[in-house]
Amino acid sequence: MGKSTRNNHGQSQITSLATEFILIGFTEHPDLRILLFLVFFIIFLITMVGNLGLVALIVTEQCLHTPMYIFLGNLALMDSCCSCAITPKMLENFFSKDKMISLYECMVQFYFLCLAESADSFLLAAMACDRFVAICKPLQYHIMMSQKLCIQMTTGAYVAGNLHSMIHVGFLFRLTFRGSHQINHFFCDVLPLYRLSCVDPYINELMIFIFGGSVQIFTITIVIISYLYIIFTIFKMKSKEGRKKALSTCASHFLSVSIFYGSLLFTYIQPNSVNEEDKDLPVAIFYTLVIPLLNPFIYSLRNKEVINVMKKIMNIS
């Protein structure tokens, strides 16, 4: 009898292990379901058209085959990847009855999100280096920012992004989930998963703090040092027109960097971020949906080369 009880107890433990989760998302507002669906669907369409349109523009136009635009094109590609990883499932769940997502789908979703965010960090740092060389060492720009170096930096961003993603996804396999299968989120981020784990996620949190923090500190340091040199160089310029031109070339990048790093640091690197559930949704919407939406407009509308190419294409058509 005792043996049977142990077996039944063991079986109930095994069957209670979660292999699927319910994404609650925005179901607390069922009356706003259609409105929210339309809003996020329009954001998704604009994001994809804006980013992939920018990639197509950079690939097809020879005058945009420079380091800055190569980095920008890859940044737009990663923003598209981020939106594709998150938004389709979120839109589906507005009208889905069960709103289920499997553990492996969760891992895939987080893998591509982490890849996009990590690669973006390195690409933004590479763009800061490019602006540093362009403003501080203009005569050596074509030698220092060669096509070979540009390809190496871009490849490095993708390799580092993949490795960073694989580390965190790999550590998810040590967690088991029982009890509540509900994730109070619109996608499978790791922080809500940690709250559901019946295994202490301390090691996972530590890995995010160490590796995520290292990526952010390394790339932010490059950006800060680059911009300190840029500011000193701009202040030394005698021409007001030269200062204005130098500042305008950095304004878009600096704005994008500030928004991107600010939201990521607020979400993952701050102490006790795992326990602050109420802050998940607003910040996550910002860095997964709003930033990919804004980036192509931040860079395109303030960029004369891109605007001129767009005018040229519109005139031809």
Side-chain angles (χ1 to χ4, degrees):
M1 184 72 178
K3 185 176 181 181
S4 174
T5 305
R6 284 194 298 271
N7 286 340
N8 289 337
H9 179 66
Q11 187 178 6
S12 68
Q13 278 191 328
I14 292 170
T15 54
S16 67
L17 287 175
T19 56
E20 290 186 322
F21 301 95
I22 301 170
L23 290 173
I24 296 176
F26 303 97
T27 52
E28 294 179 358
H29 310 284
D31 50 326
L32 298 175
R33 182 180 61 179
I34 295 175
L35 177 61
L36 288 172
F37 174 85
L38 290 173
V39 168
F40 289 122
F41 181 67
I42 291 168
I43 288 174
F44 179 63
L45 281 182
I46 295 173
T47 300
M48 297 307 293
V49 170
N51 283 292
L52 294 181
L54 188 58
V55 171
L57 207 65
I58 292 169
V59 169
T60 55
E61 292 297 322
Q62 189 68 32
C63 63
L64 299 180
H65 291 180
T66 61
M68 184 63 177
Y69 291 109
I70 291 172
F71 295 140
L72 179 56
N74 283 279
L75 187 72
L77 194 63
M78 285 294 96
D79 284 343
S80 301
C81 175
C82 180
S83 291
C84 285
I86 302 301
T87 313
K89 187 66 179 178
M90 179 185 69
L91 294 175
E92 177 192 329
N93 283 344
F94 277 113
F95 299 100
S96 172
K97 290 183 180 179
D98 55 21
K99 297 176 173 57
M100 299 295 287
I101 185 169
S102 72
L103 178 60
Y104 294 106
E105 284 179 304
C106 271
M107 291 181 177
V108 170
Q109 197 176 56
F110 177 70
Y111 173 84
F112 283 105
L113 174 66
C114 187
L115 166 63
E117 303 297 349
S118 301
D120 274 1
S121 298
F122 288 102
L123 288 169
L124 287 169
M127 291 168 77
C129 292
D130 176 79
R131 292 301 84 199
F132 159 72
V133 177
I135 293 171
C136 301
K137 301 179 183 293
L139 299 178
Q140 302 174 45
Y141 180 77
H142 294 290
I143 298 171
M144 294 181 69
M145 294 302 298
S146 63
Q147 187 177 10
K148 181 180 178 182
L149 178 62
C150 185
I151 292 171
Q152 288 174 342
M153 292 172 81
T154 305
T155 304
Y158 285 114
V159 170
N162 273 289
L163 289 174
H164 190 218
S165 300
M166 286 189 284
I167 287 170
H168 296 304
V169 171
F171 274 95
L172 283 177
F173 282 100
R174 67 177 291 273
L175 303 181
T176 54
F177 306 92
R178 293 191 189 91
S180 173
H181 300 170
Q182 293 186 341
I183 298 177
N184 188 23
H185 218 302
F186 59 91
F187 71 95
C188 257
D189 200 2
V190 288
L191 299 185
L193 281 176
Y194 292 169
R195 297 184 191 111
L196 297 180
S197 173
C198 46
V199 174
D200 188 355
Y202 172 74
I203 294 177
N204 299 68
E205 294 171 41
L206 188 63
M207 291 301 103
I208 281 190
F209 187 78
I210 291 172
F211 287 101
S214 297
V215 168
Q216 299 308 313
I217 290 169
F218 175 72
T219 52
I220 288 174
T221 301
I222 291 173
V223 171
I224 291 172
I225 292 173
S226 297
Y227 271 99
L228 284 175
Y229 276 103
I230 287 168
I231 290 168
F232 288 143
T233 303
I234 289 172
F235 279 134
K236 288 179 182 178
M237 291 179 179
K238 296 179 181 179
S239 168
K240 287 185 179 180
E241 190 65 30
R243 287 182 186 178
K244 187 178 177 181
K245 186 178 178 181
L247 286 170
S248 66
T249 61
C250 297
S252 300
H253 178 257
F254 186 76
L255 177 61
S256 182
V257 164
S258 302
I259 295 171
F260 176 79
Y261 284 114
S263 60
L264 278 187
L265 289 171
F266 186 83
T267 304
Y268 293 107
I269 309 304
Q270 62 172 336
N272 299 320
S273 58
V274 174
N275 300 317
E276 297 182 350
E277 189 173 353
D278 58 324
K279 296 179 181 178
D280 281 352
L281 285 179
V283 182
I285 289 171
F286 197 73
Y287 76 81
T288 59
L289 302 177
V290 176
I291 291 177
L293 171 70
L294 293 179
N295 271 343
F297 298 101
I298 290 174
Y299 285 103
S300 301
L301 297 179
R302 294 184 57 87
N303 195 297
K304 290 182 180 179
E305 287 88 351
V306 174
I307 292 172
N308 290 336
V309 169
M310 291 174 68
K311 285 180 180 177
K312 183 178 126 182
I313 291 172
M314 290 171 69
N315 288 334
I316 290 174
S317 60

